[in-house]
Amino acid sequence: MVVKWWCKKHLIATIMRYNDSNNLILIVNVYAPQQEYIKKVVWSQLTRIARNWPGPLCFLGDFNAVCSPEERLREIIDFNSIDSFNNFISNAGLIDQLLVNDEFTWEGPLGKFSKIDRVFINAHWANLWPNAILQSGQPDKSDHKPIIWGEKLCY
């Protein structure tokens, strides 16, 4: 059940009550900008949210950033952007949920590939759902693959 939600540029946050209890979780859907200087503002906002939220939290969406050069194929690698993104992940205390069935989530023109769509959780979330896995589906009308989170594979 949704308890509260709010929107800011580049994110939609939802606080939900789960399992008909008083336990609350926070889910933040992110659409990060492409401009690096604006991304840093978003990383700062998300870090503040993560540090101040006392329970399970999940950040998911299109981060328009990668954690390593291997997560981009046939694209320009911006090492400063990679460092900034990894610093955000570390400073916010996030865990990167790994895809079990794919390396990339976005396919662009001329055979370009990136892993820019992600799911990050904190330790509270990981403790609630220790067996959860993440997999990508097949794109329908988008150049992004849908991400499916659950406890069973959906092949």
Side-chain angles (χ1 to χ4, degrees):
M1 173 169 95
V2 174
V3 173
K4 181 180 178 181
W5 65 273
W6 69 94
C7 295
K8 286 187 157 201
K9 194 169 186 178
H10 306 295
L11 64 91
I12 301 170
T14 307
I15 298 174
M16 300 178 73
R17 189 177 318 281
Y18 69 96
N19 288 346
D20 295 325
S21 69
N22 286 328
N23 297 317
L24 300 176
I25 62 173
L26 174 61
I27 300 172
V28 180
N29 192 338
V30 177
Y31 180 68
Q34 299 217 354
Q35 300 87 352
E36 192 62 31
Y37 67 97
I38 303 174
K39 270 192 241 184
K40 288 180 181 181
V41 172
V42 174
W43 300 163
S44 178
Q45 291 172 341
L46 292 173
T47 298
R48 275 194 305 279
I49 291 169
R51 287 182 174 174
N52 289 314
W53 182 253
L57 86 87
C58 175
F59 293 158
L60 67 145
D62 180 350
F63 288 85
N64 272 314
V66 296
C67 293
S68 69
E70 295 77 29
E71 293 180 347
R72 284 205 190 275
L73 186 61
R74 295 185 195 94
E75 288 194 86
I76 296 169
I77 305 298
D78 181 344
F79 289 95
N80 289 328
S81 177
I82 290 172
D83 288 344
S84 175
F85 192 48
N86 284 319
N87 286 335
F88 148 65
I89 295 164
S90 176
N91 292 336
L94 300 174
I95 301 164
D96 188 5
Q97 291 272 231
L98 301 177
L99 283 172
V100 298
N101 66 329
D102 212 336
E103 290 180 73
F104 305 107
T105 61
W106 174 85
E107 182 177 348
L110 305 172
K112 294 180 180 180
F113 294 91
S114 286
K115 183 180 178 185
I116 56 176
D117 306 284
R118 305 186 97 91
V119 175
F120 294 107
I121 59 173
N122 67 2
H124 297 294
W125 187 284
N127 288 334
L128 274 179
W129 293 287
N131 299 320
I133 57 170
L134 197 65
Q135 60 186 324
S136 65
Q138 292 302 312
D140 186 10
K141 296 179 178 157
S142 172
D143 53 359
H144 294 258
K145 294 179 182 178
I147 296 177
I148 304 158
W149 179 85
E151 292 192 342
K152 295 181 182 175
L153 292 175
C154 298
Y155 293 120

